[in-house]
Amino acid sequence: ERPRVLVIGFGPAGRVVAEQMREDGARVIVLDLNPHLVTAARRLGFEASVGDAQHEDVLRHLGVQATPLVAVTVPVPQVAVQIVHLLRVLAPEAFVVVRARYNRYLAEIEKAGAAVAHDEETHVGLRIAESMKARLASKETVVDEPIQQAAE
């Protein structure tokens, strides 16, 4: 049987998570408040439901108790924290990975019980730095010359 993965939020981040998990053979279940995003998820072949993950009955209906992996990709940090608290009660053994829109919410999300929290600000900073390092490496002599001249 394929492992169950619940993806809460099907915006751009949630969609990437769902697609990647499906590629790895998981049975992906999507939950979102937006009916249009749920329709989009279904068109892409995902099991999807409209609902609010802040409500115990919604999560129980989706079988969260038997779901070993949960991704919380909602954009509002306070909502993510509430969802994580509820997940810890309903599915204490689940591995919960959470999107933290801002790094100032990381500690709160982790304290709520997330196994892993990824903050967008740090990830974007790292990706920008990677791009810049790659450019420096490919144009090293061109970049270094003006810097050396300015230092003289």
Side-chain angles (χ1 to χ4, degrees):
E1 184 175 307
R2 298 181 304 158
R4 288 173 50 97
V5 173
L6 174 61
V7 177
I8 300 171
F10 198 69
R15 182 175 174 167
V16 169
V17 171
E19 289 172 342
Q20 292 293 308
M21 293 297 90
R22 179 170 59 192
E23 281 182 23
D24 281 356
R27 175 183 169 207
V28 178
I29 298 128
V30 171
L31 177 64
D32 200 290
L33 279 171
N34 184 327
H36 298 291
L37 292 177
V38 169
T39 298
R42 288 177 181 156
R43 282 191 190 128
L44 292 170
F46 295 106
E47 296 177 48
S49 297
V50 175
D52 187 345
Q54 295 177 89
H55 295 284
E56 179 178 339
D57 58 329
V58 171
L59 292 175
R60 283 189 187 280
H61 177 74
L62 292 175
V64 74
Q65 306 89 317
T67 305
L69 297 169
V70 181
V72 180
T73 67
V74 298
V76 180
Q78 297 85 346
V79 172
V81 167
Q82 289 179 326
I83 292 169
V84 172
H85 278 299
L86 188 53
L87 288 168
R88 294 285 44 111
V89 171
L90 298 175
E93 301 300 316
F95 188 81
V96 180
V97 182
V98 183
R99 166 192 183 184
R101 193 158 193 191
Y102 306 106
N103 61 19
R104 69 176 182 249
Y105 292 103
L106 269 178
E108 188 177 357
I109 289 169
E110 290 169 346
K111 184 179 177 187
V116 179
H118 293 282
D119 82 276
E120 293 177 24
E121 293 174 316
T122 299
H123 281 278
V124 168
L126 289 170
R127 295 303 301 262
I128 290 171
E130 285 174 13
S131 297
M132 295 175 79
K133 285 179 174 185
R135 181 65 178 182
L136 283 174
S138 69
K139 300 282 188 179
E140 197 167 294
T141 57
V142 176
V143 173
D144 283 348
E145 288 174 14
I147 292 171
Q148 288 173 351
Q149 289 173 356
E152 294 175 356

